[in-house]
Amino acid sequence: MLYIDANVFLSAALYDDEEARLTREFLTDIAGGKRAAYTSVLTWDEIVWVVKKMLDSARAKQEGKKFMEFPNLVLLPAEPLIIDNAQNLMEKYNLKPRDAIHAATAISRGIREIISDDPDFDSVKELKRIPIGKFL
């Protein structure tokens, strides 16, 4: 099982380099049911926020809708227990709040690998971070 960080979706949406192309192929595999993938509902917020900031509101709405309709991607809720665990992870590993929520979400479901280019996850002993370029 793989947990997908928001920056995977952002790479595919915002960039047009080789890594973004490979990321889009990876996401196509998930959409086609070739890979099982999970992420937090928080990922929607990150995608919409960053795309709006870097591009515009119309594109942000488009990417948000595309994410919410993404086939075969399991969206995991940010329940109070997840937030409680995120608080503990934030304190233990000095994580940013969003990273702590992603980590707590993955860990709560027994997911031990996170696809992300965010090195902050490297400190989380319960997870193994796989950079986008190395996974693809």
Side-chain angles (χ1 to χ4, degrees):
M1 295 191 312
L2 298 172
Y3 188 92
I4 311 299
D5 190 19
N7 58 35
V8 174
F9 298 96
L10 289 167
S11 174
L14 296 173
Y15 304 109
D16 196 27
D17 56 12
E18 180 64 12
E19 185 171 293
R21 184 188 67 74
L22 292 170
T23 300
R24 285 189 286 276
E25 287 180 13
F26 170 66
L27 292 174
T28 299
D29 284 351
I30 294 168
K34 294 179 184 174
R35 294 180 184 267
Y38 302 80
T39 196
S40 171
V41 295
L42 176 68
T43 300
W44 173 86
D45 172 71
E46 291 186 69
I47 291 169
V48 173
W49 174 254
V50 171
V51 172
K52 182 178 180 182
K53 193 169 141 181
M54 292 183 70
L55 299 177
D56 57 57
S57 290
R59 180 72 185 272
K61 291 173 188 173
Q62 179 184 38
E63 291 299 326
K65 182 176 175 126
K66 193 163 97 176
F67 174 78
M68 290 306 298
E69 295 172 350
F70 198 96
N72 299 312
L73 176 68
V74 179
L75 299 180
L76 302 172
E79 301 165 331
L81 182 58
I82 298 291
I83 302 304
D84 187 51
N85 289 337
Q87 177 69 33
N88 294 334
L89 290 170
M90 190 175 65
E91 293 171 4
K92 183 176 180 179
Y93 296 116
N94 197 31
L95 295 172
K96 296 174 197 160
R98 285 183 179 177
D99 291 344
I101 293 171
H102 283 297
T105 302
I107 293 165
S108 75
R109 298 301 172 116
I111 301 169
R112 299 294 178 240
E113 294 181 322
I114 182 168
I115 309 301
S116 178
D117 277 347
D118 187 342
D120 291 343
F121 291 111
D122 291 343
S123 67
V124 181
K125 304 293 185 231
E126 297 87 346
L127 290 175
K128 177 184 177 188
R129 180 181 70 93
I130 303 172
I132 295 171
K134 290 189 178 180
F135 181 77
L136 308 172

